[in-house]
Amino acid sequence: MSRKVPKEQYEKTISYRLKSWLEGSRDLYLGNLEMRPQSPRQEDEGTRRRHQEDKKRVRARVYDTEHNREMLLFKKIYRIFSLLFCVFLVSMLLIGVADLPPFGEADKPVNNEVPQRYIEKGLQETGAVNIVTGMILDYRAFDTLGESHVLFIATCTVLILLRADGKEGERGEEAEMNDRAYEPKNDVILQTAARLLVPFIIIFGIYIILCGHLGPGGGFSGGAVIGAGLILYVSAFGFARAERFFTGATYKWMSFGALACYCLSKTYSFYTGANHIESVIPLGTPGAILSSGLILLLNICVGVVVAGTMYTFYVMFRKGGY
């Protein structure tokens, strides 16, 4: 059995020196070289002035854009190409406008079978009284799913670029104090108005979402109204109270759940051939709240994403984090 040796004796062994050298914890030159303190460099006034003049000449030569031939040539070429590009772009636009059909002509490309199908059979095939909602969330539901994902990706990008909070507890009360210093703090008028208006704003936004298939409205407009209500609330009462019911984690789970529900709800279209084969989902009675198939559910999903995105944008641009 090996016995334990003192630390001083162990540090004199070859194995310890090799281990220290491999780990880089011991400087082989420390204490083995003769070190002489250097005297401060003395520079006379003439040498210092000469160095300053040389530095000025170099700076003037390098950054002299008014007499630099390469820079002058680049500016001329840049202006010529900019002018040619503008002329080309304007010419293409004028040619395109000249080829447009006269206003109101029946043979225009816009007046094809697609909008005719929306108008004539939209109510029968989608069950939505609002033709626009039926078009967006039934005929072109896949495009709307892409738009919702664009909003979510844009929010993720803003979170990455503008996130200012560091480790947990690093900002805390200091961030709240800094934020409230530039906003109305304990403003009686603003807070009273927010107490009265925020519930009605959110209820009105929910109404727009739920009745989007019956009249003007839908997930995008209703979500924007709810997002405006949340922004008014946080402006009046601050982030400390708003984060009791809406945080960054809340938004992430809400957006993920809404997008996943939207995607899974419309998956049947890819297997049934969309409009060519009837789906098993009933359309209900046109004009009733529970009608138009999945449009009501899809409106709710879109509204959740839009409301959370608007509020998150405001939070990130104002504070840099939840």
Side-chain angles (χ1 to χ4, degrees):
M1 177 182 285
S2 60
R3 62 185 182 86
K4 185 177 181 180
V5 297
K7 181 178 180 181
E8 296 80 6
Q9 182 179 352
Y10 173 66
E11 291 178 352
K12 296 179 181 179
T13 60
I14 299 176
S15 60
Y16 173 78
R17 296 178 181 177
L18 179 62
K19 176 176 176 294
S20 301
W21 177 69
L22 293 175
E23 293 179 351
S25 58
R26 180 173 178 269
D27 190 356
L28 298 177
Y29 299 100
L30 185 62
N32 298 326
L33 296 177
E34 183 180 357
M35 304 290 291
R36 290 183 299 177
Q38 294 184 353
S39 59
R41 183 171 178 268
Q42 299 292 336
E43 188 177 45
D44 57 353
E45 187 67 20
T47 304
R48 189 176 62 83
R49 289 181 180 178
R50 188 169 62 254
H51 288 169
Q52 290 181 353
E53 292 176 358
D54 293 341
K55 186 182 296 184
K56 289 181 181 179
R57 283 196 296 268
V58 172
R59 182 178 294 275
R61 182 65 179 272
V62 174
Y63 297 100
D64 186 13
T65 57
E66 296 181 358
H67 302 88
N68 192 316
R69 294 182 179 179
E70 295 180 358
M71 290 295 298
L72 294 175
L73 179 62
F74 173 76
K75 289 182 178 179
K76 291 181 181 179
I77 296 176
Y78 178 80
R79 291 172 182 172
I80 293 173
F81 274 93
S82 299
L83 180 61
L84 293 177
F85 177 76
C86 292
V87 172
F88 172 77
L89 181 61
V90 172
S91 301
M92 295 299 295
L93 292 176
L94 291 177
I95 293 173
V97 172
D99 289 339
L100 290 176
F103 180 78
E105 185 178 359
D107 296 335
K108 288 197 305 182
V110 177
N111 299 326
N112 54 28
E113 64 276 4
V114 176
Q116 183 179 357
R117 179 66 173 265
Y118 293 161
I119 296 173
E120 294 180 353
K121 296 187 177 181
L123 180 61
Q124 176 184 352
E125 295 177 345
T126 66
V129 178
N130 187 355
I131 300 177
V132 177
T133 302
M135 177 187 66
I136 294 175
L137 293 177
D138 193 282
Y139 292 113
R140 304 186 62 182
F142 187 70
D143 296 341
T144 307
L145 175 62
E147 295 171 4
S148 302
H149 277 83
V150 167
L151 291 175
F152 181 70
I153 294 172
T155 308
C156 294
T157 306
V158 173
L159 286 171
I160 295 172
L161 295 177
L162 298 182
R163 191 171 183 85
D165 54 342
K167 297 181 180 179
E168 185 177 358
E170 187 174 330
R171 288 170 59 89
E173 298 179 357
E174 181 180 358
E176 178 71 17
M177 293 175 61
N178 293 336
D179 174 73
R180 298 292 287 168
Y182 302 99
E183 297 292 335
K185 189 173 183 179
N186 299 329
D187 191 313
V188 178
I189 298 177
L190 178 61
Q191 292 183 353
T192 304
R195 288 191 182 96
L196 295 175
L197 295 178
V198 168
F200 291 100
I201 292 175
I202 294 179
I203 292 174
F204 182 62
I206 295 174
Y207 164 78
I208 294 175
I209 294 175
L210 297 180
C211 297
H213 58 295
L214 305 178
F220 287 101
S221 53
V225 172
I226 295 176
L230 295 175
I231 292 173
L232 175 60
Y233 182 87
V234 75
S235 299
F237 300 103
F239 289 97
R241 293 183 60 175
E243 289 177 1
R244 296 178 182 176
F245 60 90
F246 201 101
T247 62
T250 305
Y251 167 71
K252 294 173 184 177
W253 282 108
M254 286 174 54
S255 298
F256 173 77
L259 293 174
C261 180
Y262 190 115
C263 184
L264 295 176
S265 300
K266 290 301 294 182
T267 302
Y268 79 93
S269 298
F270 300 103
Y271 300 102
T272 60
N275 194 45
H276 297 289
I277 300 179
E278 295 293 336
S279 65
V280 297
I281 302 173
L283 298 179
T285 303
I289 186 67
L290 297 178
S291 62
S292 67
L294 290 173
I295 291 181
L296 176 61
L297 177 62
L298 301 184
N299 261 328
I300 296 174
C301 295
V302 174
V304 169
V305 175
V306 173
T309 301
M310 283 189 58
Y311 178 76
T312 303
F313 276 172
Y314 176 80
V315 171
M316 297 306 299
F317 277 99
R318 174 174 158 179
K319 186 181 178 182
Y322 284 100

